[in-house]
Amino acid sequence: MRLRTTTRSTALLAVAALAMTLTACGGSVGSGGADSKEFTYWSMYKEDEPRAKVIRDAVAAFTKETGIKVQLVFQGREVLNKLQPTLVGGNVAADLVDQSQFKIRDTLAATGNARDLSGVYDARITGETKTVGETVPKAYQDLVKDKEGQTYLIPTNVQTWQVFYNKKQLPEVAAEPPRSFDEFIAVLDSRKAAGKAPLALDGDILTYVDQWVSTLMIRELGAGNWKKVLEDRSGEGFERPEVLKAARNAEKIGKGGYFVSGWDASKFPAIQQKWAQNKADFLYMGTWGPSETGEIAGRDFEYGSFPFPTTAAGHDSEQASLYGYGIPRKARNGGAAEKFIQFFLGKKWMDRLATEEKSLTVRADVPAVKDLQGSQQALRDAGSIHVAQDGAEGMSDWETKIAQPLSKKLMSGRIDAAGYVAELKKSTVNWWKANG
């Protein structure tokens, strides 16, 4: 920072004010290299990704303003796998990492290796009057706390799921999107009767298939209750009537003949590309959908979206997948890393992520690009926020081995709703016995 002043005392006051802004992180900054003049940052991104350019520019600006040097390494998506072996002992390889909420939770928080970042929320964002806590919505803050209430991640971005469509092809949907599940089914029936393929789904991506079922479960049970069902090792939660209702809704979609032909034997991204070519009407997808399909869709494709419709139960919780920063507990320069978090959450950098990466940031004052405005509004309007599989912990193995294959059977009509629930209950109870 250039200090345009004519007196030494004024310059010292300005330097002191900057130092206070960058160190006001509550109790957590008092240790782990609070006064360090360097730190190591390992990123999940690759050097040729849009996010990497923003990070490089932010790091350069941060060093210029604070004098703190940053050893930046773009490790790619395996960043935490590379970090994990160094967590043992006192020589952690990185002071700051970026990744998804779940991966930082499972690698750092669940193993006792996460620095508590709660104090960062009390710090002012560099160059602004707002604190970090005033820019990160409380709903997101609550999602990134461990069982002891400690914060293991400061989020910068959020992804959600929406039903995407082409406004130019479906102007009547753009004028009045279906709000209820029954209205949605009516639209699907109408499009099918007109000889159209209403739904697109790449069936070889089992997480995409399972998203339909888990969303319907949370729509029927309400946020927080699907988690209770899954974590009940007795399996009694599967006897709740809402579980069967949700399965029947999934069965209705699966057996309705709505999906584009060949979806369950497709190879990604064949089906979503068909959708982008207007060979199917709706794509239930994460907010990365427009970026992935934009080149195929072309300029005449106008992205629209609406939240997954509510069922008769009336629950409208929206899924949020958070991405952001974590710091290893034994990081030697954790305090300096916290200062960068304060800096990077500045509106200048969040604006660049929204426009260059075309992502949703956690800041309410950063508008989304046109293709994601509906997604951003859906998160703001939602009655509550939940995470994938309603936040059930320690069940990633269950997801891949049990939930996802069963969801594929249900959505492809190879099992009915009652059979699905019975098999899911039995398999989940046995999984807990083997993994509990």
Side-chain angles (χ1 to χ4, degrees):
M1 173 181 286
R2 293 183 180 178
L3 299 173
R4 300 182 182 275
T5 178
T6 57
T7 68
R8 180 174 180 272
S9 59
T10 303
L12 289 173
L13 286 171
V15 171
L18 175 60
M20 288 177 67
T21 299
L22 292 172
T23 58
C25 286
S28 64
V29 176
S31 60
D35 299 322
S36 176
K37 290 299 180 183
E38 62 179 7
F39 72 90
T40 299
Y41 173 5
W42 280 13
S43 176
M44 67 175 280
Y45 298 94
K46 300 175 183 177
E47 291 193 49
D48 59 350
E49 293 184 275
R51 177 75 161 239
K53 167 124 176 53
V54 179
I55 291 173
R56 275 194 297 266
D57 290 349
V59 163
F62 175 76
T63 297
K64 182 177 181 181
E65 185 159 331
T66 66
I68 298 174
K69 296 181 180 179
V70 183
Q71 181 65 38
L72 174 62
V73 183
F74 292 105
Q75 295 281 14
R77 301 302 187 263
E78 298 300 310
V79 58
L80 292 181
N81 290 341
K82 297 175 183 178
L83 178 71
Q84 193 168 25
T86 75
L87 296 174
V88 180
N91 193 27
V92 181
D95 302 298
L96 181 70
V97 290
D98 57 34
Q99 243 297 358
S100 69
Q101 170 193 353
F102 285 151
K103 291 188 177 180
I104 287 181
R105 181 196 69 185
D106 293 346
T107 304
L108 298 182
T111 60
N113 285 302
R115 179 181 175 104
D116 181 15
L117 301 178
S118 302
V120 176
Y121 286 126
D122 298 325
R124 281 207 310 259
I125 290 178
T126 309
E128 300 183 23
T129 58
K130 294 180 178 180
T131 65
V132 173
E134 289 171 336
T135 59
V136 178
K138 189 174 184 305
Y140 298 157
Q141 295 181 33
D142 291 341
L143 291 179
V144 290
K145 292 180 180 179
D146 62 20
K147 293 178 181 178
E148 284 70 47
Q150 296 187 341
T151 298
Y152 58 84
L153 177 134
I154 301 294
T156 58
N157 294 84
V158 58
Q159 294 176 342
T160 189
W161 282 71
Q162 291 277 283
V163 181
F164 288 97
Y165 64 97
N166 183 355
K167 286 185 176 181
K168 290 185 177 179
Q169 180 162 300
L170 296 167
E172 68 280 6
V173 174
E176 191 173 353
R179 304 294 182 187
S180 72
F181 186 74
D182 288 343
E183 290 173 353
F184 186 43
I185 293 296
V187 171
L188 300 182
D189 284 337
S190 174
R191 296 298 293 173
K192 181 183 173 184
K196 306 295 183 180
L199 297 176
L201 175 62
D202 280 286
D204 62 325
I205 307 296
L206 294 186
T207 53
Y208 291 179
V209 181
D210 186 55
Q211 185 68 29
W212 282 85
V213 180
S214 62
T215 297
L216 283 165
M217 288 294 175
I218 297 169
R219 280 285 183 264
E220 205 63 47
L221 288 157
N225 291 314
W226 181 227
K227 170 185 170 73
K228 291 178 182 177
V229 170
L230 297 179
E231 294 180 350
D232 179 359
R233 302 186 181 201
S234 72
E236 291 305 310
F238 289 102
E239 299 300 322
R240 292 185 59 165
E242 298 95 332
V243 174
L244 183 57
K245 286 181 182 178
R248 283 175 174 162
N249 283 335
E251 180 184 16
K252 181 180 291 187
I253 291 174
K255 290 185 176 179
Y258 303 127
F259 288 113
V260 64
S261 177
W263 75 272
D264 56 343
S266 64
K267 186 172 179 59
F268 178 84
I271 301 300
Q272 75 172 30
Q273 288 181 347
K274 283 188 175 183
W275 170 78
Q277 295 166 339
N278 292 317
K279 295 178 181 178
D281 294 323
F282 301 104
L283 178 72
Y284 186 40
M285 181 58 65
T287 42
W288 56 88
S291 293
E292 284 191 352
T293 59
E295 189 173 333
I296 299 292
R299 294 181 180 179
D300 291 334
F301 196 107
E302 184 177 355
Y303 288 90
S305 70
F306 55 86
F308 196 95
T310 58
T311 64
H315 301 295
D316 67 345
S317 181
E318 288 296 305
Q319 181 170 313
S321 299
L322 297 170
Y323 288 76
Y325 288 111
I327 298 177
R329 182 172 59 85
K330 295 181 182 179
R332 295 182 298 278
N333 304 300
E338 286 186 351
K339 294 173 187 177
F340 179 77
I341 296 174
Q342 293 171 237
F343 183 86
F344 193 64
L345 272 164
K347 191 172 185 302
K348 172 183 177 179
W349 306 109
M350 295 297 101
D351 277 335
R352 284 192 58 183
L353 290 185
T355 56
E356 296 176 32
E357 190 184 45
K358 295 184 178 180
S359 62
L360 294 175
T361 80
V362 296
R363 289 191 59 142
D365 58 353
V366 173
V369 294
K370 183 180 179 182
D371 295 345
L372 296 179
Q373 287 175 357
S375 304
Q376 186 176 57
Q377 193 61 47
L379 285 168
R380 292 175 178 174
D381 294 343
S384 61
I385 298 293
H386 65 271
V387 295
Q389 291 296 358
D390 207 17
E393 295 188 29
M395 299 186 72
S396 57
D397 179 71
W398 169 88
E399 285 187 61
T400 56
K401 292 180 179 178
I402 296 173
Q404 293 173 6
L406 276 177
S407 290
K408 179 72 175 287
K409 288 177 68 176
L410 179 62
M411 296 300 289
S412 60
R414 290 183 284 121
I415 192 173
D416 65 13
Y420 164 82
V421 173
E423 191 169 339
L424 185 62
K425 175 183 177 180
K426 179 182 177 181
S427 298
T428 303
V429 170
N430 288 337
W431 183 87
W432 275 120
K433 287 178 180 178
N435 294 275

